[in-house]
Amino acid sequence: EQDEMYPKITRNDKTGIMRVTIPRARDKTADIVISPEFGNVVSWTREDTMPEFNAVWVVSGDYSEGRLYVYMEDEESIKKYGRIENVVSRSDITVYEAPEEEEADEAETTDDSEEETPRLSYDDVMSILEQEARTQLKEHGRKRSYTIEAAETNGLKFMDDWQVGDRVTCVIDGEKF
């Protein structure tokens, strides 16, 4: 069973192709908690990486009333690093509201060669822009990483209770990850 935690490498002697099989991580987050409060941490370091940006404007394409904007920010990051803004264009997203007589003309058209323009409401566009802003902040915002040296205790033994690749819970300075 212990061999299951390590990648398995096999080689085809005829072709020279090597195959690496990596075992699936086990979820031990409910059972294994590594934290200085439990005496099972020898040392740890935390590294915060400065964000590419921590405030973002996401802008839609043009429509009859102009462009729509969504602004989001990471307040904690701004306090630590200062405001770093970015603008993301989603010119592919517009509100489409056809006038009534135009809708009637379209209903009579049977030309299948024209691609239909997606009809997005104001709320649809705002929802898409908000999701894009959240995604951008997550991908380009500050990153935090930890290096932890865990200690074995009577209730927590490496190889017996958890292994390389297992997902476990760590709690450092009240932050759970």
Side-chain angles (χ1 to χ4, degrees):
E1 184 179 308
Q2 288 183 359
D3 288 339
E4 292 176 14
M5 70 176 202
Y6 296 106
K8 181 179 178 184
I9 301 172
T10 56
R11 179 188 163 123
N12 182 322
D13 291 331
K14 285 185 177 180
T15 63
I17 295 174
M18 297 179 74
R19 181 179 180 168
V20 178
T21 306
I22 300 172
R24 186 178 302 250
R26 298 179 306 169
D27 186 354
K28 300 286 228 160
T29 54
D31 303 323
I32 306 295
V33 179
I34 298 173
S35 176
E37 287 83 26
F38 296 140
N40 55 18
V41 172
V42 175
S43 64
W44 63 273
T45 58
R46 174 177 49 217
E47 181 181 342
D48 286 330
T49 305
M50 187 170 169
E52 292 176 52
F53 53 87
N54 53 22
V56 64
W57 293 89
V58 182
V59 185
S60 76
D62 286 329
Y63 82 106
S64 60
E65 301 297 319
R67 291 178 178 229
L68 297 178
Y69 298 84
V70 167
Y71 174 79
M72 279 190 191
E73 64 185 21
D74 177 349
E75 290 180 26
E76 187 178 324
S77 176
I78 290 171
K79 286 178 188 173
K80 183 169 184 168
Y81 298 105
R83 182 178 310 278
I84 308 165
E85 291 189 0
N86 192 37
V87 176
V88 175
S89 173
R90 285 301 307 265
S91 58
D92 59 317
I93 306 295
T94 61
V95 175
Y96 183 81
E97 297 176 17
E100 287 182 22
E101 60 270 355
E102 194 175 307
E103 286 180 11
D105 290 343
E106 284 182 20
E108 296 172 14
T109 304
T110 57
D111 184 5
D112 292 335
S113 65
E114 288 186 31
E115 199 173 301
E116 187 175 320
T117 304
R119 296 173 186 259
L120 298 173
S121 70
Y122 171 88
D123 291 339
D124 291 339
V125 171
M126 292 305 288
S127 178
I128 291 168
L129 297 180
E130 288 168 3
Q131 181 58 46
E132 181 70 23
R134 281 190 289 279
T135 300
Q136 290 290 326
L137 284 176
K138 184 177 181 180
E139 289 178 4
H140 301 280
R142 66 189 173 102
K143 305 287 189 270
R144 176 170 282 170
S145 64
Y146 290 89
T147 302
I148 299 171
E149 182 182 350
E152 288 190 353
T153 63
N154 287 336
L156 180 69
K157 292 206 183 290
F158 179 66
M159 299 295 288
D160 292 341
D161 300 310
W162 64 288
Q163 300 171 0
V164 171
D166 287 346
R167 293 185 65 225
V168 301
T169 297
C170 294
V171 180
I172 304 289
D173 282 349
E175 186 175 352
K176 184 178 180 179
F177 52 96

